Amino acid sequence: MDVLSDLLQRAQATNALVRQFIAQPPWSVTYAELPSLSVVAALGGCATLRIDDGAPATLAANDIALITGVGSYTIADDPATPPRYVIRGNTKYVDGQAVGPGEFHAPRTYGDGLGGTTIVRGVYDLHGAVGRRLLDLLPPVAIVAATDRTRPALSLLASETAREEPGQDAVLRRLLDFVLVVALRAWWSGPDATPPSWYQALTAPGIGDALRLLHESPARRWTVAELAGSVAMSRATFAARFTELVGLPPLTYLTSWRLALAADLLRDPAATVAAVARAVGYEDPFAFAVAFKRIYGVTPSAWRR
């Protein structure tokens, strides 16, 4: 499994949620009490996006906005349209009063139901140290311009959002993952982004394969020589190339990944520190505790508390 796929799979504590609303202008909706990551797109028209009280940004048709780490955001047909209601969780509020989830016209679809602009919104509740690794890769809002790959992906997601058939939640989860990955690829290839070093290394001959091996078997007692042999490179060439592309030596990267996994495993009160140490490749709990404190500033037991 490649690094991005591994991050997405491990970081998602709860199922993704997908909703869409259809509105005729003037319209404006504010989303509060946000999950970790929102994926928002406008189909069939343009929209404006305002984060907290900041300046509005334009979402052209089929653009995708990736939103992280903000208190609220407002989507509207025009920056001058005043907020009409607020969504917190699955509840609609007007003038501070809960008025229910709104009028649904199809599964997961609410609003006017009369054509016009369709806003598709998917959210992820990411958690823990692994989730933080993913969120730290993005600014508070990243707007990805529509491409020939994003348009059909969004169209399929919108179509499936309004359906209710066996396995629909699984379909939507995978489609939202697809839209997210396509958007991340487009964002990191654009001029405004600085992709993480490991992302650029994923397609490098040998190095991408080595990263996959480390993520597939983080507890294995890897050596640089063994990794180099697994990808048919000399030890010296592999170590130099890995460090150049990833930004860390191979075993330093492995240690960082192991400890991120450990930080999340420690959230389980039933898992002992010794068990967590073994799960991420440390036979000696003391050595694990020393390495963990060096990275996170506290002992594993203190981190759990």
Side-chain angles (χ1 to χ4, degrees), residues 260-291:
L261 297 177
D264 288 349
L265 291 173
L266 287 166
R267 296 163 63 95
D268 181 0
T272 66
V273 171
V276 170
R278 289 192 299 272
V280 298
Y282 286 85
E283 294 184 359
D284 182 359
F286 178 76
F288 165 67
V290 170

mmCIF file of all heavy atoms in Angstrom, residues 260-291:
data_model
loop_
_atom_site.group_PDB
_atom_site.id
_atom_site.type_symbol
_atom_site.label_atom_id
_atom_site.label_comp_id
_atom_site.label_asym_id
_atom_site.label_seq_id
_atom_site.Cartn_x
_atom_site.Cartn_y
_atom_site.Cartn_z
ATOM 1 N N ALA A 260 4.283 7.494 15.050
ATOM 2 C CA ALA A 260 2.954 8.040 14.747
ATOM 3 C C ALA A 260 1.887 6.956 14.932
ATOM 4 O O ALA A 260 0.812 7.201 15.499
ATOM 5 C CB ALA A 260 2.915 8.591 13.329
ATOM 6 N N LEU A 261 2.180 5.754 14.449
ATOM 7 C CA LEU A 261 1.252 4.638 14.655
ATOM 8 C C LEU A 261 1.090 4.344 16.147
ATOM 9 O O LEU A 261 -0.026 4.102 16.631
ATOM 10 C CB LEU A 261 1.762 3.390 13.935
ATOM 11 C CG LEU A 261 1.869 3.458 12.419
ATOM 12 C CD1 LEU A 261 2.454 2.158 11.873
ATOM 13 C CD2 LEU A 261 0.515 3.730 11.798
ATOM 14 N N ALA A 262 2.199 4.375 16.889
ATOM 15 C CA ALA A 262 2.141 4.098 18.323
ATOM 16 C C ALA A 262 1.290 5.131 19.044
ATOM 17 O O ALA A 262 0.517 4.795 19.956
ATOM 18 C CB ALA A 262 3.558 4.081 18.899
ATOM 19 N N ALA A 263 1.425 6.399 18.665
ATOM 20 C CA ALA A 263 0.640 7.452 19.312
ATOM 21 C C ALA A 263 -0.856 7.180 19.182
ATOM 22 O O ALA A 263 -1.634 7.429 20.106
ATOM 23 C CB ALA A 263 0.997 8.813 18.712
ATOM 24 N N ASP A 264 -1.264 6.648 18.036
ATOM 25 C CA ASP A 264 -2.683 6.326 17.852
ATOM 26 C C ASP A 264 -3.073 5.038 18.574
ATOM 27 O O ASP A 264 -4.169 4.936 19.136
ATOM 28 C CB ASP A 264 -3.006 6.219 16.368
ATOM 29 C CG ASP A 264 -3.009 7.582 15.680
ATOM 30 O OD1 ASP A 264 -2.965 8.605 16.389
ATOM 31 O OD2 ASP A 264 -3.037 7.618 14.440
ATOM 32 N N LEU A 265 -2.190 4.046 18.582
ATOM 33 C CA LEU A 265 -2.495 2.801 19.300
ATOM 34 C C LEU A 265 -2.642 3.043 20.801
ATOM 35 O O LEU A 265 -3.424 2.359 21.477
ATOM 36 C CB LEU A 265 -1.390 1.772 19.046
ATOM 37 C CG LEU A 265 -1.308 1.203 17.631
ATOM 38 C CD1 LEU A 265 -0.068 0.334 17.479
ATOM 39 C CD2 LEU A 265 -2.568 0.396 17.299
ATOM 40 N N LEU A 266 -1.922 4.017 21.322
ATOM 41 C CA LEU A 266 -1.998 4.318 22.754
ATOM 42 C C LEU A 266 -3.347 4.899 23.160
ATOM 43 O O LEU A 266 -3.648 4.997 24.353
ATOM 44 C CB LEU A 266 -0.877 5.286 23.149
ATOM 45 C CG LEU A 266 0.533 4.679 23.183
ATOM 46 C CD1 LEU A 266 1.577 5.785 23.251
ATOM 47 C CD2 LEU A 266 0.680 3.733 24.377
ATOM 48 N N ARG A 267 -4.156 5.292 22.181
ATOM 49 C CA ARG A 267 -5.498 5.778 22.502
ATOM 50 C C ARG A 267 -6.394 4.676 23.042
ATOM 51 O O ARG A 267 -7.412 4.934 23.681
ATOM 52 C CB ARG A 267 -6.137 6.388 21.252
ATOM 53 C CG ARG A 267 -5.410 7.623 20.720
ATOM 54 C CD ARG A 267 -5.802 7.932 19.285
ATOM 55 N NE ARG A 267 -7.210 8.267 19.163
ATOM 56 C CZ ARG A 267 -7.668 9.502 19.170
ATOM 57 N NH1 ARG A 267 -6.845 10.521 19.300
ATOM 58 N NH2 ARG A 267 -8.956 9.744 19.038
ATOM 59 N N ASP A 268 -6.021 3.426 22.770
ATOM 60 C CA ASP A 268 -6.798 2.277 23.249
ATOM 61 C C ASP A 268 -6.368 1.957 24.677
ATOM 62 O O ASP A 268 -5.242 1.503 24.899
ATOM 63 C CB ASP A 268 -6.553 1.082 22.337
ATOM 64 C CG ASP A 268 -7.339 -0.149 22.762
ATOM 65 O OD1 ASP A 268 -8.074 -0.081 23.771
ATOM 66 O OD2 ASP A 268 -7.205 -1.192 22.089
ATOM 67 N N PRO A 269 -7.241 2.159 25.667
ATOM 68 C CA PRO A 269 -6.844 1.926 27.052
ATOM 69 C C PRO A 269 -6.538 0.462 27.353
ATOM 70 O O PRO A 269 -5.878 0.157 28.349
ATOM 71 C CB PRO A 269 -8.053 2.422 27.859
ATOM 72 C CG PRO A 269 -9.204 2.355 26.922
ATOM 73 C CD PRO A 269 -8.640 2.643 25.565
ATOM 74 N N ALA A 270 -6.984 -0.438 26.492
ATOM 75 C CA ALA A 270 -6.736 -1.858 26.739
ATOM 76 C C ALA A 270 -5.356 -2.294 26.270
ATOM 77 O O ALA A 270 -4.906 -3.395 26.607
ATOM 78 C CB ALA A 270 -7.814 -2.697 26.042
ATOM 79 N N ALA A 271 -4.693 -1.465 25.484
ATOM 80 C CA ALA A 271 -3.371 -1.833 24.960
ATOM 81 C C ALA A 271 -2.288 -1.352 25.910
ATOM 82 O O ALA A 271 -2.205 -0.163 26.218
ATOM 83 C CB ALA A 271 -3.171 -1.221 23.573
ATOM 84 N N THR A 272 -1.466 -2.255 26.398
ATOM 85 C CA THR A 272 -0.373 -1.863 27.286
ATOM 86 C C THR A 272 0.728 -1.189 26.475
ATOM 87 O O THR A 272 0.820 -1.359 25.256
ATOM 88 C CB THR A 272 0.212 -3.080 28.010
ATOM 89 O OG1 THR A 272 0.834 -3.935 27.032
ATOM 90 C CG2 THR A 272 -0.872 -3.853 28.760
ATOM 91 N N VAL A 273 1.567 -0.429 27.169
ATOM 92 C CA VAL A 273 2.690 0.227 26.500
ATOM 93 C C VAL A 273 3.599 -0.821 25.858
ATOM 94 O O VAL A 273 4.078 -0.651 24.738
ATOM 95 C CB VAL A 273 3.468 1.117 27.486
ATOM 96 C CG1 VAL A 273 4.759 1.622 26.850
ATOM 97 C CG2 VAL A 273 2.597 2.281 27.949
ATOM 98 N N ALA A 274 3.837 -1.940 26.555
ATOM 99 C CA ALA A 274 4.683 -3.000 26.008
ATOM 100 C C ALA A 274 4.072 -3.585 24.743
ATOM 101 O O ALA A 274 4.791 -3.875 23.772
ATOM 102 C CB ALA A 274 4.900 -4.087 27.052
ATOM 103 N N ALA A 275 2.754 -3.770 24.736
ATOM 104 C CA ALA A 275 2.089 -4.327 23.556
ATOM 105 C C ALA A 275 2.185 -3.365 22.375
ATOM 106 O O ALA A 275 2.403 -3.780 21.236
ATOM 107 C CB ALA A 275 0.635 -4.649 23.875
ATOM 108 N N VAL A 276 2.002 -2.081 22.646
ATOM 109 C CA VAL A 276 2.115 -1.082 21.585
ATOM 110 C C VAL A 276 3.542 -1.062 21.046
ATOM 111 O O VAL A 276 3.760 -0.992 19.832
ATOM 112 C CB VAL A 276 1.698 0.308 22.097
ATOM 113 C CG1 VAL A 276 2.054 1.398 21.084
ATOM 114 C CG2 VAL A 276 0.199 0.335 22.400
ATOM 115 N N ALA A 277 4.519 -1.124 21.960
ATOM 116 C CA ALA A 277 5.926 -1.146 21.528
ATOM 117 C C ALA A 277 6.178 -2.299 20.569
ATOM 118 O O ALA A 277 6.793 -2.130 19.500
ATOM 119 C CB ALA A 277 6.837 -1.231 22.744
ATOM 120 N N ARG A 278 5.700 -3.492 20.925
ATOM 121 C CA ARG A 278 5.904 -4.654 20.065
ATOM 122 C C ARG A 278 5.177 -4.486 18.729
ATOM 123 O O ARG A 278 5.691 -4.896 17.684
ATOM 124 C CB ARG A 278 5.426 -5.929 20.761
ATOM 125 C CG ARG A 278 6.319 -6.376 21.918
ATOM 126 C CD ARG A 278 5.952 -7.778 22.361
ATOM 127 N NE ARG A 278 4.569 -7.857 22.838
ATOM 128 C CZ ARG A 278 4.186 -7.625 24.089
ATOM 129 N NH1 ARG A 278 5.098 -7.306 25.003
ATOM 130 N NH2 ARG A 278 2.921 -7.726 24.437
ATOM 131 N N ALA A 279 4.006 -3.894 18.773
ATOM 132 C CA ALA A 279 3.198 -3.750 17.560
ATOM 133 C C ALA A 279 3.870 -2.873 16.516
ATOM 134 O O ALA A 279 3.619 -3.028 15.315
ATOM 135 C CB ALA A 279 1.819 -3.190 17.909
ATOM 136 N N VAL A 280 4.721 -1.952 16.960
ATOM 137 C CA VAL A 280 5.380 -1.058 16.011
ATOM 138 C C VAL A 280 6.863 -1.375 15.848
ATOM 139 O O VAL A 280 7.626 -0.586 15.281
ATOM 140 C CB VAL A 280 5.180 0.420 16.405
ATOM 141 C CG1 VAL A 280 3.711 0.790 16.388
ATOM 142 C CG2 VAL A 280 5.796 0.718 17.770
ATOM 143 N N GLY A 281 7.290 -2.541 16.345
ATOM 144 C CA GLY A 281 8.630 -3.000 16.045
ATOM 145 C C GLY A 281 9.678 -2.821 17.114
ATOM 146 O O GLY A 281 10.875 -2.987 16.830
ATOM 147 N N TYR A 282 9.280 -2.516 18.357
ATOM 148 C CA TYR A 282 10.239 -2.368 19.456
ATOM 149 C C TYR A 282 10.109 -3.562 20.392
ATOM 150 O O TYR A 282 9.041 -3.782 20.979
ATOM 151 C CB TYR A 282 9.972 -1.077 20.239
ATOM 152 C CG TYR A 282 10.397 0.180 19.533
ATOM 153 C CD1 TYR A 282 9.555 0.808 18.620
ATOM 154 C CD2 TYR A 282 11.647 0.759 19.766
ATOM 155 C CE1 TYR A 282 9.934 1.962 17.960
ATOM 156 C CE2 TYR A 282 12.036 1.924 19.119
ATOM 157 C CZ TYR A 282 11.183 2.517 18.222
ATOM 158 O OH TYR A 282 11.561 3.668 17.567
ATOM 159 N N GLU A 283 11.182 -4.297 20.543
ATOM 160 C CA GLU A 283 11.169 -5.410 21.498
ATOM 161 C C GLU A 283 11.386 -4.922 22.921
ATOM 162 O O GLU A 283 10.938 -5.571 23.874
ATOM 163 C CB GLU A 283 12.248 -6.425 21.127
ATOM 164 C CG GLU A 283 12.000 -7.130 19.793
ATOM 165 C CD GLU A 283 13.043 -8.184 19.505
ATOM 166 O OE1 GLU A 283 13.964 -8.345 20.335
ATOM 167 O OE2 GLU A 283 12.936 -8.854 18.456
ATOM 168 N N ASP A 284 12.040 -3.798 23.080
ATOM 169 C CA ASP A 284 12.350 -3.253 24.408
ATOM 170 C C ASP A 284 11.442 -2.060 24.698
ATOM 171 O O ASP A 284 11.579 -1.014 24.050
ATOM 172 C CB ASP A 284 13.813 -2.819 24.446
ATOM 173 C CG ASP A 284 14.235 -2.274 25.806
ATOM 174 O OD1 ASP A 284 13.379 -2.210 26.715
ATOM 175 O OD2 ASP A 284 15.408 -1.876 25.951
ATOM 176 N N PRO A 285 10.497 -2.171 25.648
ATOM 177 C CA PRO A 285 9.617 -1.039 25.962
ATOM 178 C C PRO A 285 10.376 0.210 26.398
ATOM 179 O O PRO A 285 9.923 1.329 26.149
ATOM 180 C CB PRO A 285 8.739 -1.592 27.094
ATOM 181 C CG PRO A 285 8.786 -3.067 26.942
ATOM 182 C CD PRO A 285 10.154 -3.378 26.423
ATOM 183 N N PHE A 286 11.533 0.024 27.046
ATOM 184 C CA PHE A 286 12.294 1.188 27.486
ATOM 185 C C PHE A 286 12.831 1.962 26.276
ATOM 186 O O PHE A 286 12.758 3.197 26.228
ATOM 187 C CB PHE A 286 13.450 0.758 28.386
ATOM 188 C CG PHE A 286 14.309 1.906 28.835
ATOM 189 C CD1 PHE A 286 13.891 2.789 29.821
ATOM 190 C CD2 PHE A 286 15.549 2.116 28.237
ATOM 191 C CE1 PHE A 286 14.680 3.859 30.210
ATOM 192 C CE2 PHE A 286 16.347 3.183 28.628
ATOM 193 C CZ PHE A 286 15.913 4.060 29.616
ATOM 194 N N ALA A 287 13.374 1.242 25.302
ATOM 195 C CA ALA A 287 13.857 1.904 24.086
ATOM 196 C C ALA A 287 12.715 2.593 23.357
ATOM 197 O O ALA A 287 12.876 3.711 22.819
ATOM 198 C CB ALA A 287 14.529 0.880 23.172
ATOM 199 N N PHE A 288 11.557 1.957 23.343
ATOM 200 C CA PHE A 288 10.375 2.571 22.744
ATOM 201 C C PHE A 288 10.012 3.863 23.468
ATOM 202 O O PHE A 288 9.741 4.897 22.831
ATOM 203 C CB PHE A 288 9.207 1.590 22.783
ATOM 204 C CG PHE A 288 7.869 2.218 22.523
ATOM 205 C CD1 PHE A 288 7.566 2.734 21.274
ATOM 206 C CD2 PHE A 288 6.902 2.295 23.527
ATOM 207 C CE1 PHE A 288 6.326 3.320 21.026
ATOM 208 C CE2 PHE A 288 5.676 2.870 23.292
ATOM 209 C CZ PHE A 288 5.380 3.390 22.042
ATOM 210 N N ALA A 289 10.010 3.837 24.807
ATOM 211 C CA ALA A 289 9.645 5.022 25.582
ATOM 212 C C ALA A 289 10.613 6.174 25.334
ATOM 213 O O ALA A 289 10.206 7.342 25.223
ATOM 214 C CB ALA A 289 9.585 4.681 27.071
ATOM 215 N N VAL A 290 11.902 5.853 25.242
ATOM 216 C CA VAL A 290 12.905 6.893 24.986
ATOM 217 C C VAL A 290 12.673 7.523 23.611
ATOM 218 O O VAL A 290 12.698 8.750 23.463
ATOM 219 C CB VAL A 290 14.322 6.297 25.085
ATOM 220 C CG1 VAL A 290 15.357 7.306 24.580
ATOM 221 C CG2 VAL A 290 14.628 5.897 26.524
ATOM 222 N N ALA A 291 12.442 6.682 22.589
ATOM 223 C CA ALA A 291 12.221 7.196 21.237
ATOM 224 C C ALA A 291 10.929 8.009 21.171
ATOM 225 O O ALA A 291 10.874 9.071 20.536
ATOM 226 C CB ALA A 291 12.167 6.035 20.248
#
